[in-house]
Amino acid sequence: MSFWTNVLIVLHVVVALGIIGLVLLQHGKGADMGSGFGAGASASLFGATGSANFLSRTTAVLATVFFLTSLALAYFATHRPKSSGGVIDAVKTELKMPGLKVQLQPVTSSNRIPLMQNGTIDLECGSTTNSVERQKQVSFGPTYFVINVTAAVKKSSGINSLAELNGKTISTTSGTTSVPLLKKYEKTQNVQVKEIYGKDHAESFLLVADDRAAAFVMDDILLAGQIANSRNPSDYRILPESLREEPYSMMLRKDDPQFKALVDRAVGGVMKSGEIERIYAKWFTSSIPPKGINLNFPMTPPIREAFKNPNDKGV
């Protein structure tokens, strides 16, 4: 949510409360309040001659402001940035159906596979790792990102390696593979940590921001996004170690080979044509509206290789 949207919401609420108070005053409720200060105070504060005109004019002004903020909030609600230049557009192009309506359905790490299996969603384009284990439940399209699983910490914590998390509380997001990887990692096999799970990545990062956890173990690009959107990005750092390199792929139902062939063809075409270079630059090395945040995440050699040779190999 943008800064100006927040300002409008606060102004909207304050104006609404002001209107309510003025209406109560004009209907005699204020006189009861004023009586607590004595009869004279009641008359001077709430019942003086000419106050009705002043209250009426003030109410009219606030009502006008309320109407304008309502229009502004309605505008922002209907003009949110829409997805563009990605998987959905590629599929539309491949189908030669640019006007195809797509219903967007938010998912979490915990419910994305169940929603795919029960037919609620048809294509999931997010931070889902294409793993051999998950391939038993769903299918995947071509890899469109390659990440390293690591941890974000506060610079003030003095933590410089994953092994230094021993005895610490760490956060991660429910339904992800981060903690099992930490326990299998050679340098952290004997590390003892207490785990706290957030329902989503924002909540998991907040646990570190509020000092309830020493580190947030997650994919490096997701950590970079949370840090970039935080109040003080310079307070955090991402550890250079990697628990594992993982491929992100779009997820599809396992029983729909025709749709998988369409997605493979459409997304693979975007990669081979070089269009993926422009898309990547738009979202990872440029300012992103509405806040103008730049993730400053240049394309890595593994990502470039995935674009050069599209595949759906899992880990």
Side-chain angles (χ1 to χ4, degrees):
M1 187 179 292
S2 70
F3 169 77
W4 289 113
T5 303
N6 287 328
V7 171
L8 279 172
I9 291 175
V10 172
L11 178 60
H12 195 67
V13 172
V14 170
V15 170
L17 293 174
I19 291 174
I20 292 171
L22 288 172
V23 170
L24 290 175
L25 290 177
Q26 292 176 80
H27 284 76
K29 301 295 184 182
D32 295 335
M33 294 166 58
S35 64
F37 297 95
S42 175
S44 61
L45 285 173
F46 303 103
T49 302
S51 63
N53 289 334
F54 171 76
L55 293 176
S56 297
R57 286 196 298 270
T58 305
T59 303
V61 170
L62 290 181
T64 302
V65 174
F66 184 81
F67 175 72
L68 293 175
T69 55
S70 297
L71 291 178
L73 288 171
Y75 174 83
F76 282 121
T78 56
H79 289 76
R80 293 174 179 171
K82 297 179 180 179
S83 61
S84 61
V87 175
I88 294 175
D89 288 341
V91 172
K92 288 182 178 181
T93 300
E94 180 67 26
L95 289 171
K96 296 180 173 59
M97 298 175 66
L100 180 67
K101 292 183 178 180
V102 177
Q103 182 178 347
L104 301 181
Q105 170 69 49
V107 298
T108 66
S109 300
S110 299
N111 68 16
R112 56 191 170 186
I113 291 180
L115 291 179
M116 178 65 68
Q117 292 177 318
N118 67 23
T120 301
I121 58 176
D122 301 296
L123 182 68
E124 189 259 357
C125 307
S127 56
T128 301
T129 297
N130 179 0
S131 67
V132 174
E133 187 63 29
R134 283 175 176 160
Q135 286 178 1
K136 297 175 183 178
Q137 301 174 283
V138 294
S139 290
F140 289 92
T143 295
Y144 54 56
F145 210 85
V146 182
I147 59 88
N148 287 290
V149 181
T150 182
V153 299
K154 281 189 173 180
K155 293 179 180 178
S156 59
S157 70
I159 297 173
N160 297 301
S161 69
L162 292 170
E164 292 177 28
L165 295 177
N166 188 37
K168 308 289 187 182
T169 297
I170 65 169
S171 68
T172 193
T173 306
S174 298
T176 61
T177 59
S178 303
V179 171
L181 289 175
L182 182 65
K183 293 179 178 179
K184 292 179 180 178
Y185 184 52
E186 181 181 359
K187 296 181 180 180
T188 55
Q189 284 182 341
N190 298 319
V191 167
Q192 298 295 319
V193 296
K194 178 183 178 182
E195 306 150 18
I196 304 180
Y197 291 88
K199 68 177 184 298
D200 53 34
H201 302 317
E203 184 175 280
S204 298
F205 182 78
L206 186 62
L207 292 170
V208 176
D210 291 343
D211 295 318
R212 294 173 58 193
F216 175 22
V217 182
M218 188 48 60
D219 309 346
D220 54 2
I221 183 59
L222 299 181
L223 296 175
Q226 292 296 324
I227 291 173
N229 280 281
S230 67
R231 184 172 298 178
N232 298 300
S234 61
D235 289 351
Y236 305 90
R237 66 186 297 256
I238 297 175
L239 299 182
E241 288 179 86
S242 175
L243 295 175
R244 185 170 74 172
E245 189 177 88
E246 296 184 348
Y248 281 175
S249 301
M250 59 221 71
M251 186 169 58
L252 311 91
R253 276 194 298 279
K254 199 170 181 64
D255 58 354
D256 198 342
Q258 288 183 319
F259 188 51
K260 173 172 168 49
L262 168 65
V263 171
D264 288 348
R265 191 166 63 249
V267 179
V270 170
M271 293 176 177
K272 292 179 179 179
S273 70
E275 174 67 8
I276 193 67
E277 300 276 346
R278 184 191 66 80
I279 296 173
Y280 191 96
K282 175 181 179 180
W283 294 106
F284 295 101
T285 59
S286 305
S287 296
I288 305 172
K291 295 182 179 181
I293 293 173
N294 190 330
L295 295 178
N296 292 310
F297 202 93
M299 193 179 295
T300 62
I303 294 174
R304 195 172 295 280
E305 176 61 25
F307 293 162
K308 183 179 178 181
N309 298 295
N311 68 86
D312 61 357
K313 295 179 181 177
V315 292

